[in-house]
């Protein structure tokens, strides 16, 4: 009897770790770095922008902070990005009233995850940090340093259409890498053109400069039918001595 009780207590203690939604997040972010996290689980109701809140945790105080943020669904997973206040401190991201399933169980929880912002300055910031689009889209990039920086953009295809993104000037593209430079404090909207993409594709867009690297998940839904095949040309008329016959 005692053995059974021990097993039951052990399972009860273990249950929260089994049932928790999986959250992929860095422990630390730099000052000015765009926040990014991935939430995976069998969600009944999708995590929505209005359910996501950020809090500063200092000296036992739990204070909600204003943020620009969004939630993007890609291939059944939910990506949260945010522009945080530029302060070194401890924080939490809280996704309120999440309904999800584990097996036959239906649960409702607040998903709370800790992270911190350290004293290192990010070289640049991006907005947004995840993309789901059906046409051309922009990613804003801002230099956070007191000097000029060069930013490299490299795209890889996870699956689907492999056609490359196209860019407008002044972006310089060499092979699979695009490059731009920003003076101190400068912000540019980089337009990713999808002209050559004709079917759905999932990409990872790596954007990097000096001490800061972002890997932006991007889903592009395109469904452009191929042009119909032209009928074969009729053979030319053949002429003989008696003339041409139709």
């Amino acid at each position: 009897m005692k053995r059974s009780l021990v097993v039951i207590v052990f399972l009860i203690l273990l249950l929260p770790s089994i049932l928790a939604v999986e959250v992929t997040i860095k422990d630390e972010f730099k000052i000015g770095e765009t926040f990014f996290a991935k939430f995976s689980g069998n969600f009944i109701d999708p995590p929505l922008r209005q359910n996501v809140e950020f809090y500063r945790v200092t000296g036992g105080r739990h204070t909600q902070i204003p943020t620009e943020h969004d939630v993007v669904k890609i291939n059944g997973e939910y990506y949260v990005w945010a522009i945080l206040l530029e302060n070194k401190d401890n924080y939490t991201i809280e996704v309120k009233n999440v309904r999800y399933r584990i097996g036959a169980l239906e649960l409702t929880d607040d998903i709370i995850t800790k992270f911190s912002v350290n004293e290192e300055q990010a070289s640049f910031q991006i907005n947004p940090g995840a993309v789901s689009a059906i046409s051309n889209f922009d990613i804003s990039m801002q230099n956070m340093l007191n000097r000029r920086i060069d930013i490299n953009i490299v795209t890889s295809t996870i699956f689907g259409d492999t056609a490359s993104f196209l860019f407008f000037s002044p972006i310089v593209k060499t092979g699979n890498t695009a490059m731009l430079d920003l003076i101190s404090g400068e912000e540019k909207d980089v337009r990713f053109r999808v002209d050559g993409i004709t079917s759905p594709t999932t990409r990872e867009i790596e954007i990097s400069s000096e001490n800061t690297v972002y890997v932006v998940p991007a889903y592009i839904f395109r469904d452009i039918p191929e042009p119909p095949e032209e009928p074969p040309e009729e053979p030319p008329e053949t002429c003989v001595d008696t003339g041409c016959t139709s």
Side-chain angles (χ1 to χ4, degrees):
M1 181 66 179
K2 290 183 179 181
R3 181 182 179 86
S4 298
L5 287 173
V6 170
V7 172
I8 291 171
V9 170
F10 174 76
L11 290 175
I12 291 173
L13 293 174
L14 184 63
L15 193 60
S17 63
I18 296 175
L19 300 182
V21 171
E22 182 180 352
V23 182
T24 305
I25 184 176
K26 298 198 306 184
D27 292 330
E28 286 191 337
F29 292 83
K30 302 176 180 66
I31 293 175
E33 182 178 0
T34 301
F35 172 89
F36 180 83
K38 181 176 73 172
F39 292 78
S40 306
N42 184 7
F43 296 102
I44 299 170
D45 299 326
L48 301 175
R49 180 180 178 276
Q50 55 265 34
N51 298 115
V52 177
E53 297 176 355
F54 290 85
Y55 291 83
R56 179 186 290 117
V57 183
T58 304
R61 298 181 61 186
H62 202 66
T63 307
Q64 187 175 357
I65 60 173
T67 60
E68 178 184 354
H69 66 272
D70 205 356
V71 180
V72 178
K73 181 182 179 182
I74 299 176
N75 299 329
E77 297 181 310
Y78 293 85
Y79 298 87
V80 178
W81 64 269
I83 305 299
L84 302 174
L85 297 176
E86 297 176 17
N87 292 304
K88 175 188 174 182
D89 222 323
N90 296 315
Y91 297 86
T92 61
I93 175 175
E94 304 188 8
V95 187
K96 303 291 188 178
N97 299 316
V98 177
R99 288 206 308 150
Y100 60 97
R101 284 194 178 92
I102 297 291
L105 294 176
E106 179 179 318
L107 302 169
T108 301
D109 284 321
D110 292 345
I111 307 302
I112 301 175
T113 307
K114 298 178 181 179
F115 67 96
S116 63
V117 174
N118 61 31
E119 59 189 8
E120 186 177 4
Q121 176 69 57
S123 57
F124 71 106
Q125 184 177 87
I126 64 169
N127 180 352
V131 174
S132 180
I134 60 174
S135 58
N136 298 340
F137 61 92
D138 294 341
I139 296 180
S140 174
M141 305 177 192
Q142 183 175 19
N143 183 355
M144 307 297 288
L145 301 181
N146 60 1
R147 62 180 183 274
R148 180 188 296 271
I149 62 171
D150 295 320
I151 295 178
N152 295 318
I153 305 169
V154 180
T155 302
S156 57
T157 302
I158 306 304
F159 64 83
D161 196 319
T162 59
S164 298
F165 290 121
L166 302 175
F167 297 93
F168 292 111
S169 177
I171 307 300
V172 177
K173 192 168 187 294
T174 305
N176 199 38
T177 302
M179 294 167 284
L180 76 154
D181 64 87
L182 298 175
I183 62 174
S184 177
E186 183 179 11
E187 184 175 5
K188 283 184 181 177
D189 290 335
V190 176
R191 173 147 295 186
F192 290 73
R193 293 171 50 194
V194 299
D195 308 44
I197 298 174
T198 59
S199 60
T201 181
T202 299
R203 306 290 176 92
E204 284 186 345
I205 305 171
E206 182 180 292
I207 308 173
S208 62
S209 180
E210 301 190 13
N211 69 347
T212 306
V213 179
Y214 300 101
V215 179
V216 178
Y219 176 70
I220 315 302
F221 180 79
R222 301 275 283 174
D223 188 12
I224 300 175
E226 295 183 2
E229 293 185 5
E230 295 184 359
E233 294 184 2
E234 294 288 337
E237 294 180 339
T238 304
C239 295
V240 292
D241 291 342
T242 55
C244 293
T245 57
S246 59

